[in-house]
Amino acid sequence: MNEIYLFVVILIPFIGGGLAAALPWKKRTHMLVYLEGLVTLTSVLVWMLLLNRPDGVFTLLNFTGNLTIAFRLDGLGCVFAGLVSFLWPFATLYSFEYMTKEKHEKVFFMFYTITYGVTLGIALSDNFLTMYCFYELLTLVTVPLVMHTLTREAILASRKYLYYSIGGAAFSFIGMIFILVYGNTSEFILGGVLNPEALVGRENIFLLIYVMSFFGFGVKAAICPLNSWLPQAGVAPTPVTALLHAVAVVKSGAFAIMRLTFYCFGTEFLRGTWAQYLLMGVVMFTIVYGCSMALKETHLKRRLAYSTISNLSYILFGVVIMTPLGLTAALSHMLFHAFMKIASFFCAGSIMHQTECHYIYQLDGFGRKMPKVFAVFTISSLALMGVPGLCGFISKWNLASAALESQNVFAYIGVGALLVSALLTAMYMLNIVVRAYYPAADFDYNKIKNVKDPNWMMILPLFVFVAGIVIFGLHSAPVMEILTAVAAGSF
Amino acid sequence: MEQILLLPVVVPILAGIVLLFKKEFQQRKALLVFVGSVLVICGGLAFYGIFAIENGVTLFYLTKTLPIYFKLDMLGKFFASVVTVVWILAGFFSFEYMKHEKNEKRYFAFYLIVFGVLLGLDFSGNLITMYLFYEFMTLTSMPLVLHNQSREAIMAALKYLFFSFAGAYMALFGVYFIYRYGTTLTFQAGGVIEASVLQQNSTLFLVVTMLMLVGFGVKAGMFPLHAWLPSAHPVAPGPASAVLSGIIVKGGVLAVIRVVYQLIGVEFLRGSIVQTIWLVLTLVTVFMGSMLAFREPVLKKRLAYSTVSQLSYILFGLAIMQPQALMGSLLHVAAHAFIKTALFLTASAIIYRTGAVRVEDLRGIGKGMPVTIWCYTIVSLGLIGIPPASGFISKWYLATGALQSGVSVFSWLGPVVLLVSALLTAGYLLPITMQGFFPGEEYDWKRFVGKEPSLLMLVPLLILAALTIVIGILPNTLTNVFETFAGQVM
Amino acid sequence: MEIIKNFPCLSILMCMFAAIISSALNGKWAKWLNAFVLTAVGAMSLAVLYLTVSTGESYIYVMGHFPAPFGNEIRFGSLEAGIAFFFCVIMMLSLNGGRKKLQFEINPSKENLYYIMVDLLLSSLLALVYTNDLFTAYVFVEINTISACGLIMITENGHTIEAAARYMIMSLLGSGLFLIGICLLYDLTGHLLMSNIRVGIDAIVTNGTYKAPLLVTIALIVVGLAIKSALFPFHAWLPNAYGYSTVSSAAILSSLVSKGYIFLLIKIIYRVIGFDTFRDSKIINVLFVFGLAGMIMGSLSAIRENDIRRMISFSSVAQIGYIYMGFGLGTTVGMIASIFHILSHAATKSLLFVSGAGLTDVSGDRKEFIELTGAAYRNICAGLAFTVGSLAMVGIPVFSGFVSKLLFSQAAVQNAHKLLPTLIALAISTILNTIYFMKTVIRIYTPVKSKYTSVSVKENPLYVITLLCFVVLNIVLGMWSQPITDWIAQGLSVFA
């Protein structure tokens, strides 16, 4: 397809989202149909792009000097764009039902749809500057979503989110400058673009800058100690927490880090340096820390948010192994975690939508009353734990084999961290499952007799995601082949 | 043809899932007929698979290099046979027993699912398949533990779950390394890692093996991660505790055998620090389990502690890494499976008929339930190791194996501990028989009159008792097989 | 074409005459006259810009009939013309933005005085931009100070009088130092015309004589102008002066007056001292450190502030820190970044002042944050514009601030020693900017049941158009910065 479509898919959600808020809708249904159509159209276009990929670059404008705002679809972008565009229509469908109980729908859907465009923008960026622009934009368009309920809590959360994200971007900005100045080109090229001559004798400065920008992007990927915005941002409506704070936004952070590590600084330069060890240490700590905090948390969504923190660091662990295998593993976890976490978040959302229950101790006996939701929740929990046969196992397996293959003894400890985290995951997830299915013997089911499964708009996405979890778990070979090719630069 | 191997694994699991979701099985009769027929059919299929099918079958690939592969070797056949026999017997026992519990449907559903999973575990032809079923064994047996949903049961079930997963993940750590350095994940006598590789990374592999031993050892109740066992086993419904204690713990044993003898290889481990630590751990567990059992007033808990101790007999035999000891261990697997199931079934029968749970409440019970208590006595003697019951044979092999092994201190320390523990075993099991038949003066004779359970409960008990004796008297078939196996792996 | 060369001189004179005439007019006419002058000057500057850009040369315009080194000269290249044009635009927009509010802020009888001050200010700014004579520059620096004081004081409340007094004192201190610097230069070289001094200084440098006096001279001039442009730590007068004067005054003062001095400093650096000499002196390290400190301290003060106008004022301190930090880098790229930041900051800061006024208007004229809650819903345009301004300040792509940040960092990377402090200070300053600006944005978008009435878009078209122009200006600076940086680079190249 023509390169211009790369820009079109980004533009459609922008304009369409704006229109959704601007047009005077007579009926709610009309708006919903319109939105779903819009999102699906974009997704279809994205998939058409993925299937017959334009080779060229679409340059939107020249920024300054040789800096351009340009789009291109490379392997890594394909993975992220494909993931996002698959999830978005379902998440939108889900949010239709969810938002019936919330106010200011129009504004919500406007930003929700625009975020789609921005996320695609990040995925399709051809160079660092473009990605950085969309990255900042992502923060801005998601803030209204976090703020949506306009409670004091939400305002504080969105404020924190803003400070953290923009602050993080400020540090990754430094990395960008270095790449712009010392790179042979600012385009993303697998293997890095740093000019080797510029490096001589100044390795430490470059590593320092790399670490800084890693942390900068790491804010969105919620690495410790920059993670506290994420659980707080859980005050947003669940479709936001599920899609954005488990997939789009946080994975953008991880995606940016992949770009930074593999496509800008280059792993040849970074592997075996203090920067790698430092970051590996941080990432491992986050893996365990996130899980421990999740275990401590009694608020369902916040627990899931902490779980996200830990799982994002799985991805980053794959990245800091800094081998193609590591990237493959990181990508696979990025993909699979999206499915697992969005499924569990949507379950949490369904529970909140149906019952107003926010805390785990309120969920006694729900398993029998919401069988579908809890079936999904159970499967996603098992997948998160990494039970074989579900997709979580595959990505963990990949991460561990990448770590072992790298011959980096420090990475072995990371494998240990993964497993400790898996155990903690088992604890905090199964605790909920057991409680829901097996309340204490004296539990009175009359207390929750009004609790029931939500309607199809919520259930359908759940089932789709679960199908994904199981299919990827049982038959991951095709996906893994693609991801391996991406990491090798041959896709 | 070899696809038939899948049937005994898949059918019970599917049947269990059907049970969970079909409302029709609320009726007791339909439920029992369904469960009974599934058990029998699958038992038959399993035995057909055990005796008739030699080839392996690959189901699908998790990733390109991770096949889910079933193949029955001698070890698998042996374990699968024990599982099938005990599972069917305990299943029929529970038809009667479950009358006084709620949620029968759910119980039987998970009972069937675990059956399938266990067969899957035994049929596994490579490490990853085994690991898969190992995890599922934990997950699916948990509902059996917390069946009555008392707070105690739920806490115990979570404890069970978390300990098991902790173990499983420790083992998974090893799985990664074996995958990385091994030539294959398929079980092979003598190990899958080349000797040179092992030598190069010896420290790494010692750590890995230790982790895997402790990890899989969790299921087998090995110190230091045994604490879940005495809380989880007794809270389950009677027959469930029986199979948990008799069968599911053997999953851990199977995994340990696979790791030590068929993946890492004894050549590497013999004489290493790992062996020493392992031996210490098992002996500590043997002694500690017996002591705790001796002090325990609640019968089911006492039996659970006994399991801790007896399982470490088996692990001790494995840790010695000597053919005779290995044979002893394998024999003890069978012996302990039958005996411990029988013991728990007795305890459940007593609870079912009289409601008595503490040992001191059982004075005079032999007068009212003679057949039950006789069975109990026979299998107890087996566990203590008095000829001609099976426990004697297995302990004999264990002791001779230990003495011949040449592992410095442990060659004599081991048998001594085993002997002391046997005495303790007698000390905690036999009082029930003695007080049961000879309650002494000042005793209300009418209390247990006519409490003998129905045939549905008695027959499984009798069969198990008979099996205990038979193995004790005619161990040759088994020992021959084990000898070949031991020859292969060492 | 020849006639265009008269325009710089003409525009300065026009402004001065307009000021004189306005004293005889009433407020309304003064306003119109001012608007006319602004438009005319703008147009003329544009013409000059066109001329200089198209020829790529600079021109000297001799005042009177005495040639150099005796006479007074005006010199203009593309940079001067562009800056002059830009100043006119910003001034026009700032005045328009505050026009309606002005009625309430000052005594109507003083309106013509206000415009006199504005006219004078413009003339002095133009003179600072165009002049080629240091003493002329000094004279107009003083005129500038006086008219700025007038603009501050005209609201006639205690705060502003105090602020004006402070401003006056600090400014006079600054101009005093500046004057001594000029005297010393005259002493050293015997000239007052920039080009001639330059020749003299070059000779001194090559001979290696008078090292200490030269250093002192540079220090005096730089510090004098730094004080006047409110470089940290000489900023004490600024928050009150900007915070309590009229909206237009605040916008003009923050975006133009201080920038006029900075531009003069740039001119002196390039045309009098010589960039290389300047770079080799230790002064740039001092400027660098003060610049960094200003970036951080200004923002920290802004975070603590509870008054939106004062907050924006403190933000100016930080932004001026950026500019001086750019000087301190000692590279041409850094200089280009600084000049670009002069533009981008001028466009943004006046936008913030004007839109901030719109927000306070719908909050009962209270400037405390608590009162501003939900103000963006009551005045939608002001809210949006304020958001744009804040984003530009934070340095979000698309808006002008991002480009200056980009240019600064690119410049910093070329200076191996100052690289890390600059980049880290930039990042920290971005975070601090985020904290106070985004806090405000979220605050104004937090809906409350308010006792204040809202205004619709239609009620004040001039205001809305002004805001729109500012926003467009910001985006243009942010998106199509390449021609602008090219122009700056070209302008600088003909400077020396």
Side-chain angles (χ1 to χ4, degrees):
Chain A
M1 281 166 84
N2 196 321
E3 288 88 22
I4 193 162
Y5 284 100
L6 292 173
F7 182 57
V8 169
V9 290
I10 298 169
L11 206 58
I12 293 177
F14 266 91
I15 297 174
L19 279 182
L23 294 177
W25 299 101
K26 283 209 184 88
K27 268 187 181 168
R28 183 173 187 261
T29 331
H30 294 173
M31 181 175 74
L32 301 190
V33 171
Y34 163 77
L35 280 169
E36 186 65 37
L38 185 80
V39 171
T40 318
L41 171 73
T42 316
S43 291
V44 168
L45 276 176
V46 171
W47 277 89
M48 280 162 65
L49 277 172
L50 295 183
L51 295 178
N52 32 109
R53 209 136 46 102
D55 293 322
V57 179
F58 176 75
T59 309
L60 183 63
L61 55 91
N62 279 319
F63 198 69
T64 64
N66 52 359
L67 304 183
T68 54
I69 300 285
F71 304 98
R72 183 166 55 108
L73 194 54
D74 69 344
L76 200 68
C78 277
V79 175
F80 193 45
L83 171 69
V84 169
S85 60
F86 179 80
L87 298 178
W88 218 282
F90 293 105
T92 308
L93 188 66
Y94 177 91
S95 54
F96 290 158
E97 175 64 20
Y98 188 88
M99 293 308 288
T100 47
K101 291 201 175 165
E102 303 263 347
K103 288 180 211 151
H104 319 299
E105 262 192 307
K106 270 188 182 181
V107 182
F108 173 85
F109 280 120
M110 175 173 89
F111 284 110
Y112 199 62
T113 316
I114 291 178
T115 310
Y116 187 16
V118 178
T119 317
L120 284 177
I122 291 179
L124 302 181
S125 298
D126 169 59
N127 54 37
F128 209 139
L129 182 77
T130 318
M131 187 178 78
Y132 181 82
C133 291
F134 278 98
Y135 191 80
E136 291 267 32
L137 209 52
L138 183 67
T139 311
L140 296 180
V141 295
T142 47
V143 166
L145 294 171
V146 177
M147 226 166 79
H148 184 80
T149 52
L150 293 172
T151 53
R152 192 176 155 62
E153 214 187 348
I155 303 243
L156 289 179
S158 56
R159 224 195 252 176
K160 191 165 201 178
Y161 172 48
L162 248 180
Y163 296 167
Y164 271 68
S165 288
I166 296 189
F171 277 96
S172 41
F173 178 82
I174 300 178
M176 176 172 88
I177 294 300
F178 260 69
I179 294 301
L180 296 187
V181 175
Y182 290 116
N184 295 324
T185 159
S186 69
E187 275 189 26
F188 294 124
I189 293 169
L190 190 60
V193 295
L194 274 189
N195 183 358
E197 284 154 31
L199 279 174
V200 180
R202 313 173 60 189
E203 287 85 357
N204 279 334
I205 295 270
F206 276 80
L207 291 175
L208 183 67
I209 298 293
Y210 170 72
V211 170
M212 279 203 253
S213 28
F214 188 98
F215 274 100
F217 284 127
V219 169
K220 278 235 163 73
I223 53 177
C224 197
L226 307 169
N227 53 21
S228 69
W229 63 271
L230 185 60
Q232 259 194 313
V235 294
T238 307
V240 175
T241 346
L243 184 59
L244 304 185
H245 296 149
V247 185
V249 170
V250 291
K251 301 248 150 74
S252 299
F255 180 79
I257 287 179
M258 287 177 194
R259 288 288 199 200
L260 183 78
T261 309
F262 286 87
Y263 291 76
C264 291
F265 279 85
T267 46
E268 279 301 314
F269 165 53
L270 298 170
R271 210 180 299 135
T273 58
W274 60 265
Q276 186 189 17
Y277 293 109
L278 173 75
L279 294 174
M280 217 178 242
V282 170
V283 165
M284 283 180 215
F285 179 74
T286 313
I287 289 177
V288 177
Y289 168 83
C291 284
S292 322
M293 291 304 285
L295 196 57
K296 225 179 81 182
E297 185 61 62
T298 54
H299 187 279
L300 179 55
K301 266 169 75 176
R302 278 206 286 273
R303 178 175 285 194
L304 292 176
Y306 276 117
S307 154
T308 307
I309 292 175
S310 150
N311 273 285
L312 286 168
S313 279
Y314 282 32
I315 304 178
L316 297 187
F317 177 65
V319 174
V320 293
I321 292 173
M322 297 186 182
T323 57
L325 265 181
L327 181 60
T328 317
L331 282 173
S332 68
H333 197 68
M334 178 162 111
L335 211 57
F336 297 157
H337 174 250
F339 279 85
M340 305 187 277
K341 195 43 69 65
I342 204 171
S344 45
F345 259 123
F346 275 2
C347 289
S350 307
I351 294 163
M352 286 165 60
H353 180 70
Q354 298 292 89
T355 66
E356 307 284 324
C357 289
H358 295 245
Y359 285 89
I360 288 158
Y361 54 77
Q362 295 168 318
L363 301 181
D364 279 358
F366 272 41
R368 197 183 280 183
K369 292 291 178 180
M370 303 176 85
K372 290 177 190 150
V373 169
F374 267 90
V376 174
F377 190 81
T378 311
I379 294 176
S380 61
S381 307
L382 295 181
L384 277 172
M385 284 159 50
V387 170
L390 300 171
C391 61
F393 177 77
I394 306 287
S395 47
K396 251 176 227 178
W397 181 269
N398 291 331
L399 284 170
S401 359
L404 299 194
E405 207 63 49
S406 73
Q407 301 279 13
N408 182 340
V409 180
F410 203 48
Y412 295 176
I413 305 170
V415 178
L418 285 186
L419 293 171
V420 170
S421 146
L423 175 65
L424 294 171
T425 312
M427 289 184 176
Y428 65 73
M429 292 306 276
L430 288 186
N431 198 316
I432 305 173
V433 173
V434 168
R435 185 182 275 283
Y437 281 111
Y438 306 103
D442 51 357
F443 181 73
D444 179 13
Y445 271 97
N446 285 328
K447 267 197 285 189
I448 52 165
K449 65 169 183 263
N450 292 329
V451 176
K452 59 175 194 294
D453 270 331
N455 71 4
W456 69 271
M457 286 211 269
M458 284 186 150
I459 292 292
L460 176 72
L462 283 179
F463 281 1
V464 170
F465 297 142
V466 159
I469 291 174
V470 176
I471 291 169
F472 285 137
L474 295 182
H475 191 62
S476 60
V479 183
M480 290 314 301
E481 247 164 55
I482 294 176
L483 296 185
T484 315
V486 167
S490 56
F491 183 73
Chain B
M1 259 326 264
E2 52 272 9
Q3 273 78 0
I4 292 184
L5 215 50
L6 299 175
L7 285 180
V9 180
V10 176
V11 171
I13 295 178
L14 287 182
I17 292 171
V18 168
L19 263 191
L20 277 180
F21 288 105
K22 281 280 180 193
K23 292 241 164 32
E24 288 76 13
F25 291 110
Q26 295 290 14
Q27 274 184 310
R28 196 157 202 278
K29 206 170 165 191
L31 179 70
L32 294 189
V33 169
F34 181 76
V35 174
S37 44
V38 170
L39 276 179
V40 172
I41 292 170
C42 293
L45 283 169
F47 273 113
Y48 177 76
I50 288 165
F51 291 111
I53 296 175
E54 287 299 325
N55 292 336
V57 48
T58 303
L59 188 56
F60 61 88
Y61 286 85
L62 274 181
T63 71
K64 241 186 195 169
T65 45
L66 288 184
I68 294 297
Y69 173 67
F70 294 98
K71 170 134 172 42
L72 271 171
D73 60 354
M74 176 263 135
L75 206 58
K77 285 178 181 174
F78 167 61
F79 273 85
S81 321
V82 174
V83 167
T84 315
V85 170
V86 173
W87 212 263
I88 293 175
L89 291 174
F92 282 107
F93 183 89
S94 36
F95 282 2
E96 175 74 22
Y97 181 84
M98 288 310 286
K99 272 185 191 164
H100 85 164
E101 294 266 357
K102 287 185 218 150
N103 281 329
E104 275 188 80
K105 189 167 78 103
R106 190 178 73 199
Y107 170 84
F108 281 113
F110 280 107
Y111 193 79
L112 288 181
I113 293 176
V114 180
F115 185 36
V117 171
L118 279 172
L119 287 178
L121 184 75
D122 297 338
F123 288 4
S124 305
N126 65 15
L127 183 56
I128 200 68
T129 318
M130 187 181 80
Y131 180 76
L132 185 150
F133 283 104
Y134 190 83
E135 288 231 24
F136 274 103
M137 178 172 75
T138 309
L139 281 171
T140 52
S141 56
M142 182 204 67
L144 295 179
V145 175
L146 52 60
H147 185 77
N148 66 22
Q149 287 173 263
S150 65
R151 290 196 190 277
E152 193 197 356
I154 292 177
M155 288 324 288
L158 289 176
K159 203 170 171 187
Y160 167 54
L161 206 59
F162 299 152
F163 270 84
S164 299
F165 274 117
Y169 290 133
M170 281 161 93
L172 185 58
F173 189 76
V175 176
Y176 292 143
F177 279 91
I178 292 177
Y179 172 73
R180 165 72 179 79
Y181 289 100
T183 45
T184 166
L185 282 183
T186 314
F187 304 125
Q188 272 173 16
V192 296
I193 308 172
E194 301 204 358
S196 57
V197 178
L198 280 176
Q199 285 314 322
Q200 274 165 14
N201 304 291
S202 60
T203 322
L204 178 69
F205 273 99
L206 289 178
V207 173
V208 161
T209 319
M210 201 61 235
L211 277 175
M212 290 187 89
L213 286 177
V214 175
F216 283 128
V218 170
K219 258 273 146 43
M222 188 171 77
F223 181 82
L225 296 172
H226 64 283
W228 63 273
L229 199 151
S231 21
H233 285 178
V235 293
S241 357
V243 291
L244 280 167
S245 229
I247 298 297
I248 291 182
V249 287
K250 302 295 188 307
V253 175
L254 175 67
V256 168
I257 301 179
R258 296 281 197 203
V259 169
V260 173
Y261 290 91
Q262 293 182 317
L263 291 168
I264 306 280
V266 280
E267 284 306 317
F268 173 64
L269 294 176
R270 198 177 280 142
S272 69
I273 178 90
V274 170
Q275 188 187 20
T276 317
I277 298 175
W278 193 17
L279 280 167
V280 171
L281 288 180
T282 52
L283 288 180
V284 168
T285 322
V286 167
F287 186 69
M288 186 196 63
S290 301
M291 283 305 286
L292 288 170
F294 192 69
R295 290 181 44 225
E296 179 59 53
V298 177
L299 180 55
K300 275 173 89 173
K301 280 202 170 176
R302 180 177 285 191
L303 295 178
Y305 279 121
S306 155
T307 305
V308 172
S309 154
Q310 297 294 326
L311 258 287
S312 278
Y313 275 66
I314 302 175
L315 294 179
F316 173 74
L318 299 177
I320 287 288
M321 300 182 192
Q322 199 274 342
Q324 295 247 321
L326 175 62
M327 285 162 62
S329 289
L330 290 173
L331 269 174
H332 204 61
V333 167
H336 179 255
F338 298 139
I339 292 169
K340 195 43 68 64
T341 312
L343 286 174
F344 263 108
L345 289 186
T346 324
S348 342
I350 294 170
I351 291 171
Y352 178 65
R353 297 293 292 171
T354 68
V357 291
R358 296 172 77 85
V359 175
E360 70 254 29
D361 296 340
L362 300 179
R363 278 172 62 198
I365 193 158
K367 303 291 180 187
M369 310 168 77
V371 184
T372 317
I373 298 301
W374 269 112
C375 289
Y376 174 85
T377 312
I378 292 170
V379 295
S380 295
L381 293 176
L383 200 62
I384 298 161
I386 294 174
S390 55
F392 168 71
I393 306 289
S394 49
K395 287 187 186 178
W396 172 260
Y397 276 109
L398 282 175
T400 47
L403 289 171
Q404 286 172 17
S405 67
V407 184
S408 55
V409 186
F410 297 97
S411 62
W412 58 266
L413 184 63
V416 169
V417 174
L418 295 193
L419 204 66
V420 172
S421 166
L423 285 177
L424 286 169
T425 312
Y428 62 72
L429 287 177
L430 290 183
I432 294 165
T433 311
M434 296 199 299
Q435 293 185 353
F437 287 114
F438 311 106
E441 305 292 316
E442 299 159 30
Y443 180 67
D444 173 15
W445 289 93
K446 287 178 189 156
R447 198 171 146 213
F448 292 111
V449 168
K451 293 291 188 185
E452 194 70 83
S454 69
L455 275 182
L456 206 51
M457 285 181 144
L458 279 182
V459 171
L461 264 181
L462 287 168
I463 296 177
L464 286 170
L467 279 170
T468 318
I469 304 284
V470 168
I471 294 180
I473 298 172
L474 304 166
N476 283 356
T477 334
L478 283 177
T479 46
N480 288 341
V481 177
F482 293 158
E483 210 162 0
T484 344
F485 177 71
Q488 280 167 2
V489 296
M490 269 183 273
Chain C
M1 275 300 157
E2 274 305 306
I3 193 164
I4 295 179
K5 293 180 187 169
N6 297 315
F7 283 178
C9 176
L10 197 58
S11 48
I12 298 173
L13 292 178
M14 213 165 140
C15 296
M16 299 201 73
F17 281 117
I20 296 164
I21 295 166
S22 293
S23 60
L25 299 175
N26 66 12
K28 197 177 163 199
W29 282 102
K31 178 176 83 179
W32 285 112
L33 181 62
N34 170 264
F36 167 73
V37 167
L38 265 175
T39 324
V41 170
M44 286 193 286
S45 311
L46 196 59
V48 178
L49 178 63
Y50 172 74
L51 172 75
T52 47
V53 169
S54 59
T55 58
E57 288 170 31
S58 63
Y59 301 93
I60 303 264
Y61 180 84
V62 183
M63 308 274 288
H65 295 287
F66 297 102
F70 308 107
N72 201 341
E73 281 181 357
I74 277 178
R75 178 205 178 268
F76 52 94
S78 56
L79 194 58
E80 285 96 329
I83 295 280
F85 171 66
F86 187 77
F87 280 4
C88 288
V89 172
I90 295 288
M91 187 175 266
M92 179 75 124
L93 289 175
S94 302
L95 284 173
N96 281 343
R99 194 89 76 190
K100 190 163 183 196
K101 193 157 162 61
L102 195 64
Q103 300 162 8
F104 310 103
E105 285 173 323
I106 62 172
N107 187 339
S109 62
K110 302 240 163 94
E111 205 177 335
N112 65 336
L113 268 181
Y114 186 80
Y115 286 109
I116 293 172
M117 292 301 166
V118 173
D119 291 335
L120 274 181
L121 190 68
L122 181 62
S123 80
S124 62
L125 280 173
L126 290 172
L128 289 184
V129 169
Y130 284 129
T131 184
N132 196 28
D133 182 284
L134 266 187
F135 197 77
T136 318
Y138 173 72
V139 171
F140 279 99
V141 163
E142 293 298 9
I143 296 179
N144 199 326
T145 310
I146 292 165
S147 53
C149 271
L151 282 177
I152 295 171
M153 251 181 341
I154 203 153
T155 47
E156 296 182 306
N157 60 35
H159 278 304
T160 51
I161 291 174
E162 187 211 332
R166 274 189 179 197
Y167 177 60
M168 189 62 111
I169 294 167
M170 292 299 277
S171 280
L172 288 177
L173 180 63
S175 16
L177 294 176
F178 182 51
L179 184 61
I180 300 174
I182 295 175
C183 293
L184 283 175
L185 271 182
Y186 186 69
D187 226 24
L188 287 172
T189 62
H191 290 290
L192 282 174
L193 274 183
M194 293 185 180
S195 356
N196 298 21
I197 302 180
R198 176 66 188 280
V199 176
I201 285 192
D202 280 347
I204 293 177
V205 173
T206 16
N207 295 338
T209 47
Y210 298 118
K211 268 188 183 159
L214 185 63
L215 190 66
V216 171
T217 314
I218 298 174
L220 285 174
I221 291 180
V222 169
V223 171
L225 287 174
I227 292 177
K228 293 187 80 83
S229 51
L231 172 65
F232 178 88
F234 312 116
H235 66 285
W237 55 271
L238 183 144
N240 278 349
Y242 293 3
Y244 298 106
S245 54
T246 68
V247 182
S248 309
S249 312
I252 293 171
L253 285 169
S254 65
S255 28
L256 303 185
V257 175
S258 51
K259 305 298 167 349
Y261 298 131
I262 293 174
F263 190 76
L264 179 64
L265 182 56
I266 295 174
K267 248 180 119 155
I268 291 175
I269 290 171
Y270 272 89
R271 296 189 41 73
V272 178
I273 304 170
F275 189 66
D276 296 327
T277 318
F278 177 67
R279 190 179 54 209
D280 297 337
S281 71
K282 304 284 177 297
I283 306 294
I284 71 162
N285 295 334
V286 179
L287 281 186
F288 181 70
V289 171
F290 281 137
L292 290 189
M295 284 160 69
I296 307 293
M297 300 308 291
S299 294
L300 285 177
S301 309
I303 289 175
R304 282 202 297 272
E305 201 47 67
N306 186 33
D307 171 324
I308 184 167
R309 284 275 292 277
R310 285 172 58 91
M311 182 196 87
I312 302 173
S313 315
F314 271 121
S315 153
S316 290
V317 176
Q319 303 298 323
I320 286 167
Y322 274 75
I323 297 172
Y324 277 98
M325 186 267 289
F327 287 8
L329 288 174
T331 54
T332 315
V333 196
M335 214 46 128
I336 294 177
S338 289
I339 296 176
F340 187 88
H341 199 62
I342 290 178
L343 306 182
S344 97
H345 177 239
T348 317
K349 197 42 65 69
S350 34
L351 166 65
L352 280 170
F353 271 118
V354 173
S355 59
L359 295 175
T360 49
D361 278 351
V362 290
S363 309
D365 231 358
R366 305 279 295 275
K367 292 182 283 190
E368 294 83 6
F369 280 117
I370 187 84
E371 299 294 328
L372 286 172
T373 314
Y377 295 107
R378 301 194 286 271
N379 189 342
I380 295 166
C381 289
L384 283 175
F386 191 84
T387 313
V388 169
S390 304
L391 294 179
M393 276 289 157
V394 172
I396 300 292
V398 175
F399 303 111
S400 56
F402 175 70
V403 180
S404 9
K405 223 168 74 174
L406 194 70
L407 293 173
F408 276 126
S409 335
Q410 278 177 328
V413 172
Q414 294 178 2
N415 186 327
H417 299 292
K418 293 176 180 167
L419 173 157
L420 274 181
T422 315
L423 292 180
I424 292 174
L426 267 176
I428 292 175
S429 146
T430 308
I431 296 174
L432 298 175
N433 276 337
T434 315
I435 290 177
Y436 59 86
F437 275 116
M438 288 300 137
K439 182 180 74 183
T440 318
V441 169
I442 289 178
R443 163 74 67 187
I444 62 175
Y445 277 102
T446 307
V448 280
K449 284 206 178 68
S450 174
K451 46 190 185 284
Y452 306 117
T453 51
S454 51
V455 294
S456 72
V457 180
K458 284 172 196 150
E459 276 172 45
N460 195 349
L462 184 63
Y463 180 73
V464 174
I465 292 169
T466 310
L467 288 181
L468 192 67
C469 291
F470 272 130
V471 171
V472 170
L473 192 60
N474 251 304
I475 293 178
V476 167
L477 282 175
M479 295 290 279
W480 290 275
S481 53
Q482 187 59 39
I484 299 167
T485 44
D486 286 345
W487 155 67
I488 295 174
Q490 192 260 336
L492 275 181
S493 70
V494 296
F495 237 23

